[in-house]
Amino acid sequence: MIAYIVRRTLYAVPILIGVNLLTFVLFFVVNTPDDIARSQLGDRRVTVQAIDTWKRSHGYHKPLFFNENASGPGKVTDTVFFDKSVRLFGFDFGRSDSGRDISYDIGQRMWPSLAIAVPTLVVGILVNITFGLVIVFFRGTYIDFWGVVTCVTLLSVSSLFYIIGGQYLLSKLFHLVPISGYDTGVNAFKFLLLPVVVGVISGIGSGTRWYRTLFLEEIGKDYVRTARAKGLSEQVVLFRHVLRNALIPILTGIVVVLPLLFMGSLIVESFFGVPGLGSYTIDAIQRQDFAIVRSMVFLGSVLYIIGLLLTDISYTVVDPRVRLQ
Amino acid sequence: MYRLALLIFCVSISPASFALWNNPYPAAQIEENILYSSFSERPKHLDPVRSYSSDEYAFIAQIYEPPLQYHYLKRPYTLVPLTAVNMPRVTYFGADGSVIPGDAPVNDISFTEYEFQIQPGIQYQPHPALAKNKRGEYLYHSLSREQVSRVHELSDFAQTAARELTAADYAHQIKRMANPQLHSPIAGVMAQYIVGFEALSEEIETVLSGLKEGAFLDLLEFRLEGVTVVDRHTYRIRIRGKYPQFLYWQAMPFFAPIPWEAERFYAQPGLKERNIALDWYPIGTGPFMLTENNPNLRMVMARNPNFHGEHYPATGDETDRSAGLLADKGQPMPFLDSVVYSLEKEAIPRWNKFLQGFYDNSGITSDSFDQAIQFNSQGQAALTAEMRDRGIRLSTAVATSMYYMGFNYLHPVIGGSGERARKLRQAISIAVDFEEYISIFRNGRGVAAHGPIPPGIFGHQQGRAGINPYVYDWVNGRAERKPLGSAKQILREAGYPDGIDDETGKSLVLHFEAIGSGPDEKARLNWIRKQFQKLGIQLIVRATDYNRFREKMLKGKSEIFMWGWNADYPDPENFLFLLYGPNSKAKNNGENASNYVNPEFDRLFEQMKNMENNLQRKTLIDQMVSIVRRDAPWTWGFHPQDFSLQHAWVRNHKPNLMANNTLKYVRIDPKMRATQRQQWNQPILWPLILIGVLLGIGVIPAIFGFHRHEKSTAL
């Protein structure tokens, strides 16, 4: 397995170089270094000289990908792309274009993202599995029918609607929780309640449908028939046999998203005023802060690769027949 | 025991005990003298040498104190001393260095010298950079790696101290402006005026090129020729020529003092990596100091214990008196103990929190406009009954800004000083109905402009004398846009009858440079297109992003566009320079976006720009305005009107669009706020109970179904 992990890690290097290159190309198609400088210096009374000085002090004065004036390897290494990329691979994100330390900000902002994402994921899985099992238990009945109808309705609704609806009902109308905001420690609870409830409810439709499908697939298998033939009660069949065997796709589905929980949610964080990494990225895009954008894209890619690797490893854990080579 | 536990439980879950479940602030703050507000954009810089936007000024203007400020109540906007003892003494010098009178011809004045005398005894806020040990050595100017590793925020430094503000601190800040490393946005402007500024910039740049990255640059070792520290509390700034507007800059944070100790302290290795920098942790002498600096969540300012003290203005006009704005005259300021700004990116939660009483003031977005404002039969804005019932007050003020539709003077069809192009622009100016625009797209919040100078700025004229005669007629005591027939007639005279070019026989096609393409923008662009259609002109919209738009403007590749300008200071020069030929954006990267050029206008501008506000200046301004109205390089667009709402417990609020340091004047009644919040935010529990009951009812058939299922036989 170690050889497999090493091989996958090595595969990740060209992927990350590709992602980084793509980020560069896409970003600089719409933003020139002059644009970045202007967005940092402001529009008013900015002189050409000020723009040049800013670019020089932030390393944007060099050619983007190929330096014709340099000699030897310098043609490639003495460029914006090389300068900015090499550090990324050492996880040195450097400073944002506005001067703040990116690693420090990521360290600060990942906790609020996790504070919402983890409970939403855990509670969401429990609720969805429960609903999925209940619907499967009553398969073929009106509960199954209306359950599926409700799920389809729920998953057809935009997540923005849940957020605004949740804020309107629970906070504006019933005054039960703060409409937005965040705090640290125990005080965070009252702020997290609404985004977590909204996150769970907005995920019920798709989650329950997904788990229902998984359970239905399992419930038709021979071992389930055998279990019933042995005289086991339906709840024992469902919880001890069906659920356990359905765990493989459930677990792999969960493991792959685990690293991405750090990255936060753009809309939820924005509407609930949560200072997480989701809003950090969207802010950076709006401000044309390339240093943050490429760092966050790079981090997202690394986390995604880690997620996929963990998924592969988790297969071997939940199903001993699987071996990674 | 059980009964007691039950009682405690019941009490703890009762609504009264959790009064204000939706309170986003700690319950202990309920009656504290704290102002709550919000910010929607994370500030980029809090260093006064770099900050140049209103969202940053909202913080730093309360902390840093330049020598001058705007009088809070007086209109037109008037400069008064802040840390200065008096207004600066101004001396004019001729080319031979001799002192000459201020009313000498502008061209005879080679230098102007401003002498500022600062009040003695003003202290900085407590700050670790100023802390010393018993031997008089700075405690935190030589931090070891280990010390730095224990620091995460500025408050982690145990010791703080203050010292007296000196004239040298002001001189130091001006030198900082010249430091190219700090990227001051006004360095270019100041280099034109302050003697020796450019030379200092070059000298610093040379020194910087020999320094290692991150090494400390001690500005005390540099000399700036145009700035002299006369004594501990007096300094002089010498500028080239005569530039009366220079005083307005002295009311902006760019010219606020920075102690050298702060620069040395923040330059230490390791602090920057923790985002502990002057750009994020200000050190000032103002009424407030930043105590919590989390631009991702919350910014908290507390009363500066060392504040030198200032009294609420004793003078104001009759309107101020009747509005109760003089009730606190002579009272020591600030009135607030603390100010909490929460980051609120979305308009909906921000508005709802205001209605719940958790924000003390609010702007009005289009989404909430109808809920807050209604127009009476005279077209005047008033609060809706819902707002009035809550005791909310409305403040309105016409901004010292303008949004205009510009024509690129370099364009062969729409631009230039020829008669044909001028008439075409004049016809379009009549057809583009900005009164309608204000009504549709700004909910009536704006005033149609008749020229480049907004109300409240010297040179603006109201009434009949102030109308643009090329676009408006004076009818029944008010300005009325000329009928469309006039525009068509002018267009015919221009050689475009019904929008057909009589030279080519083809439809006239013009291009509009638009930014963005969202649904709101689409409606706006359709409206603009229709305005041109009224004349038979085909308008093609070229939508792009802001970067490309800016690039086109810089290259002079645009035809028609919309842009705006917000005044730096209340002087007509700050608006008329937008049309000064040498300021052409395409040619000289200036602020004249339409690249308008008229030698007569330029000549008058050069005469007018450095004059004091007097009759002669007014006459020149009238001539200039008359020229640009005729040439119509812009359709004059509109001056936005700011609407803001305050709860009944907020006192002393008067919109002051020039001053940024206005928090010190504001007073609140925390008891009234606490009562209102209690009244407005009682938790409503019955929906939760109802949901529980419904779920219970829903579960019962399932339970029966389960049992039936369990008892049923397989066959």
Side-chain angles (χ1 to χ4, degrees):
Chain A
M1 179 143 71
I2 290 171
Y4 177 82
I5 295 170
V6 171
R7 197 166 66 244
R8 286 291 298 270
T9 309
L10 290 175
Y11 286 163
V13 175
I15 294 172
L16 289 173
I17 292 174
V19 167
N20 199 28
L21 183 66
L22 202 63
T23 314
F24 259 79
V25 171
L26 290 176
F27 194 89
F28 283 106
V29 161
V30 286
N31 301 287
T32 62
D34 277 32
D35 294 332
I36 300 173
R38 280 181 188 279
S39 73
Q40 293 303 322
L41 294 172
D43 269 340
R44 298 159 74 93
R45 300 180 185 276
V46 178
T47 60
V48 175
Q49 194 187 359
I51 290 170
D52 288 343
T53 311
W54 189 92
K55 285 196 297 185
R56 213 164 33 252
S57 65
H58 288 79
Y60 288 107
H61 61 298
K62 295 177 182 176
L64 287 178
F65 296 105
F66 189 76
N67 191 343
E68 283 182 358
N69 298 326
S71 56
K75 285 186 182 297
V76 177
T77 56
D78 198 16
T79 58
V80 176
F81 178 70
F82 191 84
D83 274 0
K84 307 282 181 191
S85 302
V86 168
R87 284 181 171 187
L88 278 183
F89 282 86
F91 288 91
D92 175 6
F93 298 130
R95 302 199 149 271
S96 72
D97 289 335
S98 62
R100 283 180 71 88
D101 191 82
I102 296 173
S103 299
Y104 182 86
D105 272 351
I106 290 174
Q108 294 280 305
R109 298 185 72 143
M110 70 180 195
W111 299 112
S113 288
L114 285 173
I116 291 184
V118 171
T120 306
L121 181 77
V122 173
V123 178
I125 288 167
L126 292 176
V127 168
N128 295 344
I129 288 179
T130 308
F131 283 168
L133 283 172
V134 167
I135 290 175
V136 168
F137 183 84
F138 291 107
R139 63 194 173 279
T141 67
Y142 76 97
I143 292 178
D144 184 14
F145 176 78
W146 285 110
V148 172
V149 169
T150 310
C151 285
V152 172
T153 311
L154 287 174
L155 68 88
S156 308
V157 176
S158 153
S159 59
L160 200 60
F161 178 84
Y162 289 107
I163 293 171
I164 295 172
Q167 286 183 327
Y168 179 79
L169 284 176
L170 294 186
S171 183
K172 191 183 176 192
L173 221 54
F174 305 144
H175 310 138
L176 297 175
V177 285
I179 201 159
S180 66
Y182 188 75
D183 213 334
T184 49
V186 183
N187 294 333
F189 179 74
K190 65 177 175 183
F191 295 105
L192 294 176
L193 207 59
L194 184 55
V196 169
V197 166
V198 166
V200 169
I201 292 175
S202 66
I204 285 177
S206 54
T208 304
R209 284 269 290 154
W210 165 241
Y211 292 127
R212 177 184 172 273
T213 312
L214 293 180
F215 296 143
L216 280 179
E217 200 178 309
E218 288 296 320
I219 215 157
K221 289 187 177 169
D222 288 346
Y223 73 89
V224 177
R225 196 174 301 124
T226 309
R228 287 209 188 95
K230 277 164 60 182
L232 296 181
S233 67
E234 190 65 12
Q235 66 262 45
V236 173
V237 171
L238 279 179
F239 282 96
R240 197 178 292 170
H241 295 280
V242 173
L243 181 59
R244 190 175 289 180
N245 282 288
L247 267 182
I248 298 173
I250 294 174
L251 195 65
T252 52
I254 294 167
V255 170
V256 77
V257 299
L258 278 182
L260 294 175
L261 297 181
F262 287 90
M263 302 299 286
S265 159
L266 306 184
I267 299 175
V268 170
E269 288 180 9
S270 192
F271 266 83
F272 289 107
V274 177
L277 285 178
S279 49
Y280 187 52
T281 312
I282 201 82
D283 279 355
I285 293 168
Q286 283 165 356
R287 288 161 169 254
Q288 300 176 26
D289 197 321
F290 179 59
I292 297 176
V293 173
R294 69 185 153 80
S295 301
M296 291 307 293
V297 171
F298 182 82
L299 189 64
S301 310
V302 170
L303 291 172
Y304 194 68
I305 290 168
I306 292 172
L308 291 174
L309 189 60
L310 288 177
T311 310
D312 288 352
I313 295 168
S314 69
Y315 275 124
T316 64
V317 176
V318 294
D319 188 349
R321 292 169 301 178
V322 178
R323 284 284 172 270
L324 300 176
Q325 289 182 341
Chain B
M1 189 66 191
Y2 283 117
R3 283 181 184 173
L4 181 65
L6 186 67
L7 180 70
I8 292 170
F9 175 75
C10 290
V11 168
S12 65
I13 63 158
S14 70
S17 69
F18 279 110
L20 307 196
W21 289 9
N22 59 344
N23 183 1
Y25 312 114
Q29 288 182 359
I30 189 96
E31 286 196 3
E32 286 187 18
N33 186 18
I34 300 172
L35 182 92
Y36 296 99
S37 192
S38 64
F39 62 108
S40 58
E41 275 276 317
R42 192 175 110 146
K44 274 186 198 164
H45 304 288
L46 297 179
D47 184 341
V49 87
R50 295 193 69 172
S51 285
Y52 200 14
S53 71
S54 54
D55 54 335
E56 293 161 355
Y57 279 5
F59 303 107
I60 65 166
Q62 324 308 327
I63 297 165
Y64 287 108
E65 291 189 307
L68 306 179
Q69 64 178 338
Y70 289 95
H71 192 284
Y72 184 53
L73 301 175
K74 271 189 193 168
R75 301 291 181 277
Y77 297 107
T78 310
L79 285 175
V80 291
L82 177 54
T83 56
V85 177
N86 294 306
M87 290 301 283
R89 201 176 72 191
V90 188
T91 315
Y92 301 97
F93 298 90
D96 59 353
S98 60
V99 175
I100 57 172
D103 56 1
V106 172
N107 291 338
D108 292 352
I109 298 173
S110 295
F111 298 101
T112 308
E113 200 166 77
Y114 294 88
E115 185 177 285
F116 293 89
Q117 200 183 347
I118 303 303
Q119 297 168 40
I122 294 176
Q123 294 283 315
Y124 279 102
Q125 66 179 77
H127 196 281
L130 305 174
K132 288 180 179 174
N133 61 19
K134 284 178 184 168
R135 292 189 302 275
E137 296 158 340
Y138 287 101
L139 270 174
Y140 303 120
H141 280 208
S142 313
L143 294 171
S144 65
R145 276 182 184 279
E146 195 198 336
Q147 279 175 303
V148 172
S149 68
R150 290 197 297 265
V151 172
H152 300 284
E153 290 182 7
L154 198 66
S155 53
D156 291 336
F157 291 98
Q159 301 291 321
T160 59
R163 75 154 168 82
E164 192 192 24
L165 168 72
T166 64
D169 299 331
Y170 284 94
H172 186 73
Q173 167 71 349
I174 300 171
K175 286 186 201 168
R176 293 183 77 236
M177 248 187 277
N179 182 352
Q181 215 177 15
L182 296 176
H183 309 293
S184 178
I186 64 160
V189 181
M190 290 306 133
Q192 292 170 29
Y193 291 104
I194 299 176
V195 175
F197 192 94
E198 205 163 4
L200 178 63
S201 281
E202 284 165 11
E203 189 187 346
I204 292 174
E205 194 150 21
T206 313
V207 174
L208 280 173
S209 61
L211 281 179
K212 279 185 186 171
E213 197 186 330
F216 173 59
L217 180 82
D218 191 356
L219 288 173
L220 294 176
E221 292 171 5
F222 294 84
R223 187 176 166 268
L224 176 54
E225 192 191 338
V227 178
T228 316
V229 177
V230 179
D231 60 36
R232 189 168 171 80
H233 300 114
T234 313
Y235 66 101
R236 292 190 192 125
I237 306 175
R238 179 176 274 233
I239 63 167
R240 291 188 198 94
K242 187 180 180 184
Y243 180 43
Q245 294 83 5
F246 188 68
L247 276 185
Y248 293 119
W249 290 106
Q250 302 304 314
M252 294 170 82
F254 292 114
F255 284 87
I258 291 286
W260 66 268
E261 294 94 328
E263 277 223 305
R264 184 178 285 272
F265 168 80
Y266 285 118
Q268 295 177 90
L271 291 184
K272 227 176 179 183
E273 283 68 33
R274 286 166 165 72
N275 288 331
I276 299 176
L278 192 50
D279 209 14
W280 287 105
Y281 288 96
I283 169 170
T285 58
F288 295 99
M289 56 186 198
L290 199 62
T291 51
E292 187 179 339
N293 181 356
N294 186 349
N296 308 318
L297 176 65
R298 187 170 45 228
M299 306 286 270
V300 180
M301 287 184 287
R303 188 195 284 255
N304 173 7
N306 299 339
F307 184 52
H308 52 90
E310 201 184 337
H311 294 93
Y312 191 86
T315 51
D317 59 25
E318 198 42 49
T319 332
D320 297 331
R321 193 177 305 280
S322 59
L325 286 167
L326 287 172
D328 279 324
K329 69 178 180 184
Q331 294 289 315
M333 299 187 296
F335 299 112
L336 302 167
D337 291 336
S338 183
V339 185
V340 175
Y341 278 98
S342 305
L343 181 64
E344 201 74 73
K345 284 174 173 294
E346 299 297 332
I348 296 173
R350 186 165 57 239
W351 173 246
N352 286 326
K353 273 182 170 174
F354 171 70
L355 290 183
Q356 290 174 337
F358 296 123
Y359 288 139
D360 296 326
N361 48 33
S362 172
I364 310 174
T365 61
S366 326
D367 295 338
S368 50
F369 191 84
D370 290 341
Q371 193 185 349
I373 304 292
Q374 61 189 12
F375 286 93
N376 62 20
S377 53
Q378 284 87 45
Q380 287 169 330
L383 289 167
T384 57
E386 184 191 348
M387 298 295 117
R388 285 199 305 273
D389 290 347
R390 285 173 179 260
I392 290 169
R393 287 193 300 266
L394 169 70
S395 307
T396 65
V398 178
T400 46
S401 319
M402 75 175 303
Y403 286 92
Y404 58 88
M405 181 181 280
F407 304 107
N408 181 9
Y409 232 61
L410 301 175
H411 190 265
V413 176
I414 199 81
S417 53
E419 186 68 10
R420 195 174 193 215
R422 182 164 56 237
K423 289 206 161 172
L424 174 59
R425 293 193 297 268
Q426 285 174 353
I428 294 171
S429 299
I430 295 170
V432 181
D433 186 349
F434 269 101
E435 284 82 2
E436 190 178 272
Y437 182 95
I438 293 164
S439 165
I440 296 173
F441 299 104
R442 295 196 50 88
N443 303 101
R445 286 174 289 179
V447 176
H450 289 258
I453 302 175
I457 304 285
F458 182 79
H460 176 85
Q461 286 206 65
Q462 298 278 13
R464 184 171 200 158
I467 69 163
N468 177 2
Y470 297 93
V471 178
Y472 291 90
D473 293 319
W474 189 256
V475 181
N476 297 329
R478 54 190 282 267
E480 198 169 90
R481 189 171 285 273
K482 285 180 186 290
L484 194 61
S486 301
K488 287 184 172 173
Q489 174 59 32
I490 296 170
L491 196 65
R492 200 171 297 119
E493 289 165 19
Y496 300 103
D498 297 322
I500 306 292
D501 187 341
D502 57 10
E503 287 178 3
T504 62
K506 290 180 181 170
S507 261
L508 178 59
V509 180
L510 296 174
H511 295 87
F512 182 81
E513 313 299 338
I515 312 162
S517 54
D520 291 347
E521 186 63 11
K522 201 173 171 188
R524 202 176 68 90
L525 294 174
N526 280 336
W527 180 87
I528 293 172
R529 207 181 280 124
K530 279 180 189 163
Q531 304 306 300
F532 283 75
Q533 263 171 16
K534 290 194 286 193
L535 295 175
I537 299 171
Q538 193 187 340
L539 188 74
I540 295 174
V541 172
R542 294 194 287 218
T544 182
D545 60 83
Y546 186 63
N547 287 336
R548 297 288 76 73
F549 171 77
R550 192 165 48 193
E551 196 179 307
K552 279 183 183 178
M553 300 303 292
L554 281 168
K555 290 180 177 169
K557 301 278 187 196
S558 63
E559 266 180 55
I560 304 170
F561 58 91
M562 271 190 87
W563 221 344
W565 181 258
N566 195 18
D568 290 309
Y569 42 78
D571 190 272
E573 179 265 350
N574 200 232
F575 285 91
L576 293 169
F577 92 120
L578 299 172
L579 294 162
Y580 178 53
N583 275 343
S584 161
K585 192 167 271 298
K587 289 176 184 165
N588 300 318
N589 192 30
E591 299 295 348
N592 176 358
S594 62
N595 304 302
Y596 171 67
V597 60
N598 180 315
E600 178 62 5
F601 179 90
D602 292 349
R603 190 185 64 77
L604 293 171
F605 178 81
E606 279 156 20
Q607 251 184 290
M608 177 281 306
K609 69 173 183 177
N610 293 329
M611 289 172 75
E612 309 287 344
N613 285 343
N614 53 29
L615 190 61
Q616 195 192 349
R617 194 180 198 212
K618 173 79 173 50
T619 311
L620 290 176
I621 291 168
D622 287 348
Q623 287 175 36
M624 294 169 74
V625 170
S626 177
I627 290 171
V628 288
R629 278 175 178 163
R630 189 179 69 97
D631 285 348
W634 303 348
T635 66
W636 298 105
F638 63 95
H639 308 294
Q641 203 170 6
D642 290 349
F643 280 33
S644 66
L645 302 173
Q646 293 80 39
H647 279 294
W649 54 80
V650 179
R651 310 275 156 77
N652 297 343
H653 173 83
K654 178 172 181 176
N656 187 321
L657 303 168
M658 280 295 134
N660 296 295
N661 58 344
T662 52
L663 278 182
K664 62 187 172 189
Y665 303 101
V666 176
R667 179 195 282 280
I668 57 160
D669 181 346
K671 283 206 163 55
M672 184 196 225
R673 178 173 62 191
T675 311
Q676 296 287 61
R677 279 187 185 172
Q678 290 282 357
Q679 195 184 325
W680 294 341
N681 294 289
Q682 283 304 308
I684 299 168
L685 293 173
W686 66 260
L688 287 186
I689 297 164
L690 182 68
I691 291 170
V693 169
L694 289 176
L695 280 177
I697 292 170
V699 166
I700 291 167
I703 293 170
F704 279 115
F706 175 75
H707 284 295
R708 200 165 47 244
H709 185 276
E710 287 297 284
K711 286 174 185 168
S712 62
T713 54
L715 295 169

